[in-house]
Amino acid sequence: MYKGIKKLWGLPLILLVFLVAGCSSNEAKGQADETNLEGEGAVTEQVAELKVGIPSDVGPLNIYTGNVDWLTDLVYDKLFSPSPYVDEPIPWLAESAEQLDDTTWIVKVRDGIKWHDGEDFTAEDVKFTYEYFRDGSANRHTHHVSEVPKIDEIEVEEDGKTVRFECAYACPSLASITFADLPILPEHIWKDVENPRQYNKLAVGTGPFVLKEYEADQYYKFKANNEYFMGEPTVASINMPIIKDATAMFNALRAGEIDASTRTVPAELQDSFKNTEAMKLAKVSPLSIVQFGLNYERKPFNTEEVRRAVSLAIDRQSIVDTVLLGQGRAGLTGYPHPDSPWTNPDLSTPYDIAKATEILDSLGYKDTNNDGFRETPEGETLRMNTIVSASEPVYVRVAEMLKEQLKNIGLQFEVEAMDATTYAAANSEDNFDTYVSLIGPHGVADPDQFIMSHRASYLWTKDIAYPAMDTLIEDWMAASTIEDRKAISFNMQELYNNQPTAIALYYPEEVFAYNATVYDQYVESLGYGIVHKYSFLPEETRQAVSATAPKFVE
């Protein structure tokens, strides 16, 4: 059996009844009846309403066009939870999972779960979802079925509740990564959707909240699914006004117009909330990286030694101290995020101006006209741009600081702050030399995505020769155990950070303000902050998914 299912100690009885390895579906159902999942384990009093401000509109929670994991997770469930960012996710929509050999897994799904429209959730929904993601239009989840890993066959067995997965190559982490990442869709709704990116009806899931209303650029309104199989939610309704302006968001929170905000509070504003008796400031690790991206298809960044020199010349701690006022960690271990269980703990990205200078000198980049900036080996002017979204003033300040730091090794950069739409277009079209942006948990804490990022033009592309990385990826795909995969991935991370195409600048710490007199049961789920479904589920369930109390800013 999958090792996460065997590890039962410390879990509450409300969930143990679902996790006991080897029990039949009838046994599991009988034990669930004895513990009265919707009785003794349920919350007897709910908070009537919670108002949570969010900074952006992502549509009616269509995962193809506006997938924000914590938000869609309110409505949708996955086979395992909480995410692929922890060591051992636990069965959720799945009752159990078992690996039969290197390439074969079977999953038993739970009985008695309903979609929000009253239809039964079945194993056929699981089969449909995985095939729809694999064979249809791509979304942010699809590579976990179509390539890394690649699942060739998905079949529902005769009992009607067991799904068999056959992978094209070894897939030891299917339960801990793929099953914990893909939200399950209702077949009866999505089977007729030919163009998922144009689907604009309200999301229907099995999750703890039902999306009742959505008004573009105005609000989301959720109602508790009181029949939720993991326990009755602690909040009856959640209203989420969309407040795009940061100042307006924090003013609304101070005025009591909202009870919490999903926009992180910058260091310079935290004192204004500390001095408010009702407010708490919760500090979490968002599992994200603010990065300096290099266009590795353009000179001079198509040369690995140049990329290494740029990385060596960046004083990351100075950026954290100056721009963030210490609210964050310098990116001294590089990429991926150091809090991920899948990250090499021995990574190091030094700050070494002398070495950076030595590398550029050896490559023939010299200041031949004595203007303080280097020319190319061919004698041409070397001037590069850094694009950044003007809507992210912190990133603009970071870009300006990078410009000054890189002068120290004779490299000339100009910062171009663009409106968000122009920036997004320039980035997607590779119309830049460098950029500053944030990459979230899926990019920096999911080990399968790290592989995919080297094959899909984000960190690298399989269309450009990178022999050492290609060899490691081949070794990784042949490895049949999680331990072997980790060891190979650690080598990949060391290789990558020695010549990065996206330089980790810092790991943000996020601080969220909320009115504790209205609701004070928020917990941190690694990579999801404090506003997510686990904050609104019974305490037993929160403990089972290792959601913990956040640290507080005093």
Side-chain angles (χ1 to χ4, degrees):
M1 294 292 288
Y2 170 61
K3 65 179 180 178
I5 298 169
K6 289 182 177 179
K7 189 175 180 180
L8 302 177
W9 52 90
L11 294 182
L13 186 59
I14 193 172
L15 286 173
L16 279 178
V17 298
F18 294 112
L19 304 185
V20 177
C23 71
S24 70
S25 59
N26 290 333
E27 289 171 334
K29 184 178 186 299
Q31 293 176 44
D33 290 341
E34 289 174 13
T35 59
N36 189 10
L37 180 59
E38 294 166 8
E40 293 178 9
V43 173
T44 55
E45 290 187 19
Q46 292 177 317
V47 172
E49 181 187 51
L50 194 62
K51 299 186 290 290
V52 179
I54 61 175
S56 59
D57 179 359
V58 295
L61 304 193
N62 178 348
I63 61 172
Y64 281 84
T65 55
N67 188 39
V68 176
D69 285 352
W70 68 264
L71 188 57
T72 54
D73 246 23
L74 294 174
V75 173
Y76 289 108
D77 286 313
K78 299 166 288 192
L79 291 174
F80 276 56
S81 276
S83 71
Y85 315 133
V86 298
D87 265 321
E88 294 183 355
I90 65 171
W92 205 254
L93 285 176
E95 180 181 293
S96 65
E98 182 179 0
Q99 184 172 12
L100 302 184
D101 55 42
D102 287 352
T103 59
T104 307
W105 285 79
I106 58 170
V107 171
K108 290 187 182 296
V109 302
R110 298 192 193 279
D111 291 324
I113 298 174
K114 299 282 188 181
W115 293 101
H116 292 159
D117 60 6
E119 294 288 329
D120 289 334
F121 161 75
T122 71
E124 293 291 346
D125 293 306
V126 176
K127 170 180 165 63
F128 167 80
T129 298
Y130 276 66
E131 290 180 341
Y132 193 77
F133 286 175
R134 182 191 64 192
D135 302 333
S137 301
N139 64 44
R140 98 112 181 95
H141 303 279
T142 53
H143 78 81
H144 279 310
V145 189
S146 62
E147 189 164 356
V148 184
K150 186 176 188 295
I151 303 177
D152 281 344
E153 297 180 18
I154 307 157
E155 297 296 336
V156 175
E157 298 192 344
E158 290 183 3
D159 65 358
K161 64 171 293 180
T162 302
V163 187
R164 178 181 291 265
F165 297 86
E166 295 282 354
C167 300
Y169 55 89
C171 48
S173 61
L174 205 64
S176 53
I177 307 299
T178 298
F179 293 165
D181 188 67
L182 269 65
I184 304 302
L185 302 176
E187 180 184 13
H188 65 279
I189 292 176
W190 283 84
K191 66 182 179 181
D192 297 321
V193 178
E194 295 183 0
N195 189 337
R197 295 189 176 279
Q198 294 182 358
Y199 186 73
N200 58 9
K201 294 183 180 179
L202 298 183
V204 173
T206 57
F209 289 92
V210 181
L211 179 57
K212 299 297 291 185
E213 292 184 48
Y214 157 72
E215 186 69 33
D217 291 324
Q218 298 296 317
Y219 60 78
Y220 294 84
K221 292 185 178 182
F222 298 88
K223 180 182 177 182
N225 172 12
N226 288 332
E227 305 302 315
Y228 190 53
F229 67 98
M230 284 296 184
E232 182 181 286
T234 55
V235 177
S237 67
I238 303 177
N239 293 337
M240 293 187 176
I242 299 165
I243 307 173
K244 296 183 179 181
D245 180 77
T247 301
M249 176 80 84
F250 296 130
N251 286 342
L253 187 55
R254 291 189 193 95
E257 296 168 5
I258 57 176
D259 307 313
S261 165
T262 62
R263 183 184 284 277
T264 185
V265 182
E268 61 269 21
L269 293 182
Q270 288 175 20
D271 282 344
S272 68
F273 287 100
K274 288 181 193 176
N275 298 328
T276 304
E277 185 175 350
M279 292 290 172
K280 285 187 178 180
L281 290 173
K283 181 168 65 173
V284 302
S285 171
L287 281 185
S288 58
I289 294 176
V290 172
Q291 60 186 0
F292 187 40
L294 312 178
N295 191 337
Y296 56 80
E297 294 185 290
R298 279 190 186 179
K299 293 181 178 180
F301 303 119
N302 60 342
T303 301
E304 62 190 49
E305 292 89 346
V306 172
R307 300 196 301 271
R308 184 179 180 215
V310 171
S311 179
L312 289 167
I314 296 174
D315 184 351
R316 295 158 173 84
Q317 187 62 54
S318 179
I319 293 173
V320 170
D321 294 341
T322 305
V323 179
L324 305 182
L325 303 181
Q327 186 177 305
R329 285 180 286 166
L332 302 178
T333 59
Y335 195 111
H337 199 285
D339 289 348
S340 168
W342 307 98
T343 299
N344 185 341
D346 298 322
L347 292 176
S348 175
T349 55
Y351 171 49
D352 191 335
I353 287 284
K355 183 64 175 177
T357 300
E358 177 187 327
I359 290 172
L360 293 177
D361 287 346
S362 69
L363 294 173
Y365 289 92
K366 303 289 180 67
D367 179 11
T368 56
N369 59 6
N370 297 314
D371 65 350
F373 296 106
R374 297 174 186 269
E375 284 73 52
T376 69
E378 296 76 25
E380 299 171 351
T381 299
L382 183 61
R383 184 183 295 116
M384 295 155 287
N385 73 341
T386 300
I387 66 170
V388 62
S389 173
S391 65
E392 298 291 348
V394 170
Y395 301 164
V396 175
R397 294 199 294 273
V398 168
E400 293 287 356
M401 197 163 178
L402 287 170
K403 173 183 174 180
E404 294 305 311
Q405 288 189 1
L406 292 171
K407 281 183 181 179
N408 294 331
I409 57 170
L411 295 182
Q412 184 176 11
F413 286 85
E414 294 299 327
V415 176
E416 297 180 24
M418 307 172 168
D419 67 83
T421 301
T422 304
Y423 169 79
N427 202 307
S428 65
E429 295 167 5
D430 291 337
N431 187 20
F432 62 85
D433 295 312
T434 66
Y435 64 87
V436 174
S437 74
L438 179 141
I439 182 71
H442 182 237
V444 301
D446 178 332
D448 288 1
Q449 178 59 34
F450 184 72
I451 305 298
M452 191 65 193
S453 292
H454 287 282
R455 297 170 60 82
S457 79
Y458 180 68
L459 296 179
W460 198 250
T461 174
K462 57 188 175 184
D463 296 326
I464 298 177
Y466 196 170
M469 186 65 74
D470 290 344
T471 298
L472 286 172
I473 289 176
E474 290 174 5
D475 292 344
W476 183 93
M477 294 176 76
S480 60
T481 70
I482 288 178
E483 290 73 19
D484 287 345
R485 285 252 169 113
K486 265 192 176 181
I488 296 165
S489 184
F490 284 3
N491 290 336
M492 292 173 61
Q493 293 163 20
E494 186 173 357
L495 172 65
Y496 175 75
N497 280 289
N498 196 45
Q499 49 190 42
T501 56
I503 298 169
L505 299 176
Y506 61 88
Y507 314 113
E509 288 178 353
E510 291 185 341
V511 173
F512 298 102
Y514 68 88
N515 188 328
T517 65
V518 177
Y519 190 77
D520 197 19
Q521 298 183 53
Y522 295 103
V523 291
E524 178 180 6
S525 183
L526 193 59
Y528 282 15
I530 64 169
V531 178
H532 46 71
K533 70 184 180 190
Y534 309 106
S535 282
F536 309 121
L537 294 178
E539 182 179 358
E540 296 92 338
T541 310
R542 296 199 297 265
Q543 291 175 354
V545 293
S546 300
T548 59
K551 300 179 180 67
F552 292 98
V553 179
E554 301 297 334

